[in-house]
Amino acid sequence: MKLLSLSFFLFLLGSIVAQSFTPENTWVNLQSDRVLDLTKSYIQEYITLTIKNTDDKPNNEYFYALPSYVYYQLSSFTATNSKNGQELKLAYLDDKSTLINDQPLVNYVKIQLDKPIAPKQSAKLRLKYTVLDLVEPFPAKIQLQDEQGLLLKTFKLPLSSYITESATLKITGIPNGQELAVNGQADVEHQGTVENRAVVYRFKDVEPLMISILPFVYSHNAPLGVVTDLNRGVWVSHWGNTVQFEEFYKLTNNAAELIDGFARVDLFLNRNTMRSTHAIAAMEVTLEEDAQDIYYTDLVGNVSTSRVVGEKLYLKPRYPVYGGWNYNFTIGWTNTLSQFLSKVSSEDYSLTVPLINGPSDVVYDNVDLTFYLPEGAEVVDVRSDFPYVSKSDGYELSFFDLGKGHTAVTLHYEALTDELSHNKVTILYRYNSLAMYSLPLNIAKFAAILLVSYFLLSKVNISLRAK
Ligand SMILES: *[C@@H]1O[C@H](CO)[C@@H](O)[C@H](O)[C@H]1NC(C)=O
Ligand SMILES: *[C@@H]1O[C@H](CO)[C@@H](O)[C@H](O)[C@H]1NC(C)=O
Ligand SMILES: *[C@@H]1O[C@H](CO)[C@@H](O)[C@H](O)[C@H]1NC(C)=O
């Protein structure tokens, strides 16, 4: 049966946990409310935790537990103090996990509270995190006109290294869904109920490190868009007073594949009946205000099926991108420099751009964000709201560069989602007015060379004539 594909769950069952790292038992979770939002192609979780210090001294560290297979698929994670909205410092404990058969079973995010909590006192935390790759098409192959189902592979009981007195789990953002039986056995002890279009589970007095699984099937007739690679170039020109954005996308769709392959007839017959589909038929990209010179090309050339409405660019791929299919394309636009640039001192500039602009509801495996600064610019600092994985510096030659070329800085990011588009990246650089004129000077140099050559040619001509 299909459930065999859940084997990575099954090894968790009935095993004895050989704990290699467990946080000290200094808290009790009075109440833990977990909301799983399945609206998008990735999972967004919202946790509200009321915790009480059971230690005999003040404590300001809380270890939030996650199954390792979830921990390693985290895209973003934030924690705030519910009372004052203060964002809390986090540490990802990659190398401290609870092991079983030498495999990590539970990992922890260490949350630093903004102030120590006295013994017997409580605190309320709000967490939000995004997890990638926890859903797969179910079944894996369907007909073009079929509605797509997804299988969510998550955990059910509240997982914590502390005792949890009371907890809820609420699954939202789905038209309908159903828990699958594991090994033919339904979990009769904890059954979900449907309340206000959500599936709700309730738990009481859950022991520490209770590992449980929740295979959950729901209908989601939308694509699972993944940008495997995005190269986002930001070209800065002081001379032209512009910032040019150029983005190359390698897009794929992780939705269910078509059983019978693709036939245009089917598409034609279904066009009028399909409101939403698991193919990527259109994308909506939010550009920067007052973007000019917008273009959209692919391997074949200019794609005419795009529309700009306000700051939104609506793109239609050359063909509908079905499950397992790929599509490469490039978009670009230009803004005025002053929208993003501020002058810090006479020679220092600060340029701030969004981390990404791309389509809504997509996951990014790899993003390279490259700033191309004017020739002669010197990078002072780079600040990114969302942490990058690596940074590299270099030079890029372009037309009229006679020296080393544009100063280039590339930031490499992994595991992003469209949810992070509000994040900013700032580059601080030094650029003096002498360097500013280096481009025009270069053009002047070219002109001088041309003139001299022309003069020499005419000299030759004269001398020839004179012969
Ligand atoms: C590309 O297509 C758009 C939309 O039809 C059109 O406005 C634009 O002029 C085209 N560009 C080129 C270079 O052909
Ligand atoms: C997309 O580009 C990559 C190389 O950059 C190429 O290998 C791949 O075949 C392209 N895919 C499509 C569908 O054009
Ligand atoms: C060179 O001389 C020929 C014939 O006298 C003339 O037609 C041509 O324009 C001259 N070329 C240049 C570069 O002045």
Side-chain angles (χ1 to χ4, degrees):
M1 226 204 99
K2 177 73 198 171
L3 282 186
L4 284 182
S5 79
L6 297 172
S7 56
F8 82 99
F9 274 145
L10 300 178
F11 92 93
L12 304 176
L13 295 176
S15 316
I16 302 147
V17 179
Q19 292 164 6
S20 46
F21 168 75
T22 320
E24 270 183 69
N25 202 6
T26 51
W27 298 96
V28 60
N29 301 315
L30 299 178
Q31 180 73 36
S32 162
D33 295 310
R34 174 175 172 224
V35 177
L36 266 164
D37 185 349
L38 304 182
T39 313
K40 295 227 174 178
S41 60
Y42 44 89
I43 314 302
Q44 289 171 289
E45 303 205 12
Y46 302 84
I47 319 285
T48 312
L49 268 178
T50 309
I51 58 176
K52 191 174 99 180
N53 185 359
T54 54
D55 209 352
D56 52 14
K57 55 180 188 293
N59 190 0
N60 65 349
E61 284 181 354
Y62 181 92
F63 292 80
Y64 185 73
L66 279 170
S68 301
Y69 71 88
V70 175
Y71 177 86
Y72 286 111
Q73 299 296 347
L74 282 176
S75 165
S76 62
F77 193 111
T78 54
T80 49
N81 177 341
S82 173
K83 288 214 181 75
N84 56 17
Q86 174 100 36
E87 192 160 333
L88 305 176
K89 279 205 189 105
L90 306 171
Y92 298 93
L93 307 184
D94 287 0
D95 50 355
K96 278 188 184 158
S97 32
T98 307
L99 299 184
I100 173 168
N101 299 335
D102 292 332
Q103 296 292 317
L105 188 68
V106 179
N107 278 74
Y108 303 90
V109 180
K110 189 169 86 176
I111 301 171
Q112 191 84 36
L113 305 182
D114 50 342
K115 62 177 186 350
I117 304 297
K120 297 202 174 61
Q121 295 301 302
S122 61
K124 197 168 172 184
L125 314 180
R126 278 183 207 284
L127 318 183
K128 181 191 170 185
Y129 54 87
T130 305
V131 198
L132 312 183
D133 288 332
L134 283 193
V135 292
E136 63 182 46
F138 189 86
K141 290 193 174 195
I142 57 176
Q143 305 275 4
L144 186 106
Q145 69 277 8
D146 287 349
E147 213 173 82
Q148 174 180 255
L150 293 181
L151 169 64
L152 165 70
K153 299 170 284 188
T154 189
F155 57 103
K156 189 173 185 177
L157 291 169
L159 177 64
S160 178
S161 62
Y162 316 111
I163 289 173
T164 302
E165 290 187 353
S166 171
T168 60
L169 165 62
K170 193 165 156 187
I171 302 179
T172 66
I174 46 167
N176 54 64
Q178 182 194 345
E179 181 179 347
L180 290 188
V182 181
N183 269 352
Q185 284 184 314
D187 177 2
V188 285
E189 197 186 337
H190 304 108
Q191 282 186 331
T193 55
V194 179
E195 299 169 23
N196 298 325
R197 300 168 59 94
V199 179
V200 182
Y201 296 87
R202 286 170 214 284
F203 313 96
K204 280 269 176 250
D205 300 322
V206 182
E207 289 297 305
L209 292 176
M210 287 297 287
I211 308 279
S212 64
I213 65 168
L214 175 57
F216 191 85
V217 173
Y218 60 103
S219 67
H220 183 90
N221 209 26
L224 304 180
V226 177
V227 175
T228 51
D229 289 285
L230 164 64
N231 288 325
R232 173 166 159 92
V234 179
W235 295 82
V236 179
S237 168
H238 283 241
W239 182 247
N241 190 30
T242 57
V243 178
Q244 283 174 284
F245 292 85
E246 177 159 78
E247 303 192 310
F248 173 66
Y249 289 86
K250 278 193 219 168
L251 178 74
T252 187
N253 185 357
N254 280 351
E257 294 182 10
L258 298 177
I259 291 178
D260 301 325
F262 176 73
R264 278 199 177 273
V265 184
D266 290 345
L267 181 65
F268 179 74
L269 288 177
N270 283 291
R271 185 164 285 162
N272 298 323
T273 53
M274 284 191 303
R275 285 240 167 63
S276 61
T277 140
H278 35 89
I280 303 173
M283 287 170 283
E284 183 190 304
V285 178
T286 306
L287 303 179
E288 295 307 295
E289 207 177 319
D290 299 325
Q292 303 285 323
D293 302 331
I294 299 160
Y295 60 91
Y296 166 34
T297 61
D298 62 12
L299 281 181
V300 182
N302 191 28
V303 191
S304 56
T305 48
S306 67
R307 217 151 42 90
V308 180
V309 180
E311 286 147 44
K312 302 265 189 210
L313 170 62
Y314 295 92
L315 305 173
K316 236 173 122 172
R318 212 171 274 275
Y319 48 86
V321 183
Y322 282 97
W325 292 20
N326 304 309
Y327 183 61
N328 299 340
F329 64 95
T330 301
I331 56 175
W333 66 94
T334 303
N335 281 94
T336 49
L337 184 59
S338 48
Q339 271 176 272
F340 307 95
L341 192 77
S342 55
K343 203 166 177 167
V344 181
S345 70
S346 66
E347 293 186 354
D348 290 302
Y349 297 88
S350 162
L351 180 87
T352 301
V353 299
L355 173 58
I356 40 174
N357 279 93
S360 48
D361 197 5
V362 291
V363 166
Y364 296 83
D365 288 343
N366 294 287
V367 174
D368 278 323
L369 169 62
T370 306
F371 291 93
Y372 299 97
L373 302 176
E375 183 171 8
E378 236 179 275
V379 177
V380 175
D381 197 8
V382 178
R383 291 175 197 157
S384 178
D385 289 352
F386 192 83
Y388 49 81
V389 177
S390 63
K391 170 169 151 304
S392 56
D393 306 301
Y395 296 98
E396 176 82 16
L397 275 177
S398 85
F399 199 49
F400 282 133
D401 285 334
L402 286 186
K404 285 188 285 191
H406 290 262
T407 306
V409 182
T410 301
L411 305 178
H412 181 71
Y413 296 87
E414 287 171 13
L416 305 185
T417 67
D418 59 296
E419 287 286 309
L420 298 169
S421 60
H422 63 274
N423 283 269
K424 302 274 189 251
V425 184
T426 297
I427 184 159
L428 296 156
Y429 61 93
R430 184 157 298 160
Y431 185 52
N432 63 35
S433 47
L434 209 67
M436 165 112 82
Y437 287 104
S438 85
L439 177 60
L441 272 183
N442 285 346
I443 297 175
K445 265 188 242 167
F446 269 114
I449 292 166
L450 279 176
L451 274 177
V452 170
S453 320
Y454 191 75
F455 178 73
L456 287 177
L457 266 180
S458 60
K459 279 274 180 239
V460 172
N461 220 6
I462 290 162
S463 58
L464 280 179
R465 218 185 308 160
K467 248 183 168 181

